């Protein structure tokens, strides 16, 4: 067993630089971003469109790789993992939620939630359905389990996506504008779900344009032009 000091950050970016090759040449999107998020924090990332917020989240989830610098999540140097190991690592350690839900349209809600379990093998095959149902109960849509995503409202689909993100009980939940496609009331309900996850000890990082919501997270990181412009902590 590994013993680490309790001050070990859950998420750490060290001088992360990311550039893309474009027709117009190399474009720098993240410019030496360094960041530490301790376990159990609720962080919102805000900033103008195109400032690098999604790219930053993609570094944390390993969906994209830094050009230079290091990404260490729960003590694991993510930038060093091969594609194959990375997908499995992500399945166990980070739950990702998107603006447009990204549920698979031909699978039922229950099957969507079970998919990451099948992939990672954290739960035994015979336990998976029961665990998925428990998660759907937790997000309040157990009665929708056997429907296809298209039969659900946006808010219900996002609840399903949250249940899917929780499938393998990851310590970190990341959302890229998870309330961006929901009406205010539904956004509030989804946000309350993130608060509940933080209360359970999860580390939650969301990108949001909604200042009414970002003001309710413990920490607000302002991104501007690929840099951390301001790192605002409450309490
Ligand atoms: P945000 O989420 O803050 O709106 P992004 O992180 O999506 O911003 O993008 C930041 C900048 O990087 C934008 O100018 C975008 O056009 C550019 N960008 C993102 N992904 C790519 C890519 N794969 N190739 C080229 N440019 C990209
Ligand atoms: Mg974005």
């Amino acid at each position: 067993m590994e013993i680490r000091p309790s001050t070990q950050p859950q998420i750490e970016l060290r001088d992360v630089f990311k550039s893309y090759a474009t027709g117009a040449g190399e474009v720098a999107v993240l410019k030496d971003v360094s960041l530490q998020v301790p376990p159990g924090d609720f962080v919102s990332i805000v900033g103008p469109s195109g400032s690098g917020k999604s790219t930053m989240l993609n570094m944390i989830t390993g969906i994209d790789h830094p050009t230079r610098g290091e990404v260490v999540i729960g003590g694991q140097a993510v930038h060093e993992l091969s594609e194959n190991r990375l997908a499995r690592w992500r399945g166990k350690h980070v739950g990702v939620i998107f603006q447009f839900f990204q549920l698979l349209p031909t699978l039922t809600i229950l099957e969507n939630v079970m998919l990451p379990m099948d992939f990672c093998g954290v739960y035994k095959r015979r336990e998976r359905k029961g665990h998925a149902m428990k998660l759907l109960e937790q997000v309040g849509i157990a009665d929708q389990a056997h429907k296809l995503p298209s039969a659900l409202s946006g808010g219900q689909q996002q609840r399903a996506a949250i249940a899917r993100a929780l499938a393998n009980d990851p310590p970190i939940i990341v959302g890229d504008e998870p309330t961006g496609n929901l009406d205010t009331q539904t956004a509030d309900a989804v946000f309350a779900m993130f608060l509940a996850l933080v209360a359970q000890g999860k580390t939650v990082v969301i990108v949001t344009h909604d200042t009414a919501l970002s003001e309710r997270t413990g920490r607000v990181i302002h991104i501007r032009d690929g840099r951390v412009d301001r790192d605002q902590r409450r309490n």
Side-chain angles (χ1 to χ4, degrees):
M1 200 179 86
E2 238 176 309
I3 297 170
R4 298 195 189 102
S6 58
T7 48
Q8 164 105 14
Q10 181 72 268
I11 298 170
E12 186 168 16
L13 306 185
R14 296 178 192 150
D15 299 317
V16 167
F17 184 92
K18 177 68 182 179
S19 62
Y20 291 106
T22 71
E26 202 77 357
V27 177
V29 175
L30 292 179
K31 301 165 184 169
D32 298 321
V33 171
S34 292
L35 187 71
Q36 294 195 345
V37 179
D41 256 23
F42 190 4
V43 178
S44 52
I45 297 173
V46 302
S49 185
S51 56
K53 304 182 298 297
S54 293
T55 306
M56 197 165 125
L57 283 194
N58 291 344
M59 297 293 130
I60 294 170
T61 58
I63 288 172
D64 205 350
H65 298 281
T67 307
R68 289 200 303 272
E70 298 179 337
V71 181
V72 183
I73 309 292
Q76 170 70 54
V78 174
H79 59 283
E80 288 174 356
L81 290 177
S82 65
E83 261 340 296
N84 213 337
R85 291 182 56 204
L86 186 65
R88 233 159 267 276
W89 170 85
R90 184 186 308 123
K92 287 182 188 168
H93 294 90
V94 189
V96 192
I97 297 153
F98 302 95
Q99 182 175 0
F100 296 104
F101 328 129
Q102 325 280 68
L103 298 167
L104 292 183
T106 58
L107 299 184
T108 67
I109 294 300
L110 182 65
E111 288 165 345
N112 266 281
V113 175
M114 287 171 66
L115 202 59
M117 298 180 195
D118 296 338
F119 184 64
C120 286
V122 171
Y123 291 94
K124 293 194 184 79
R125 189 169 293 278
R126 60 185 156 78
E127 298 170 344
R128 291 177 196 165
K129 193 177 258 179
H131 183 60
M133 280 308 298
K134 218 178 72 196
L135 289 170
L136 288 172
E137 270 161 38
Q138 189 184 328
V139 299
I141 55 163
D143 53 341
Q144 310 294 316
H146 302 292
K147 294 183 184 169
L148 292 177
S150 57
L152 273 62
S153 70
Q156 289 172 325
Q157 288 188 56
Q158 197 59 308
R159 285 167 190 264
I162 292 171
R164 179 184 57 183
L166 294 171
N168 295 309
D169 199 22
I172 301 171
I173 301 291
V174 164
D176 197 348
E177 304 193 32
T179 63
N181 197 41
L182 305 174
D183 63 75
T184 318
Q185 205 182 340
T186 310
D188 254 16
V190 165
F191 187 81
M193 229 157 267
F194 290 121
L195 285 172
L197 293 175
V198 173
Q200 286 171 26
K202 304 270 187 204
T203 307
V204 178
V205 180
I206 58 166
V207 167
T208 180
H209 284 293
D210 189 337
T211 45
L213 296 184
S214 64
E215 278 171 1
R216 293 168 62 195
T217 64
R219 184 174 173 191
V220 187
I221 296 173
H222 300 255
I223 303 292
R224 180 171 288 275
D225 196 21
R227 290 192 172 89
V228 176
D229 189 44
R230 195 146 61 96
D231 193 339
Q232 230 181 332
R233 288 156 209 262
R234 289 169 227 287
N235 64 56

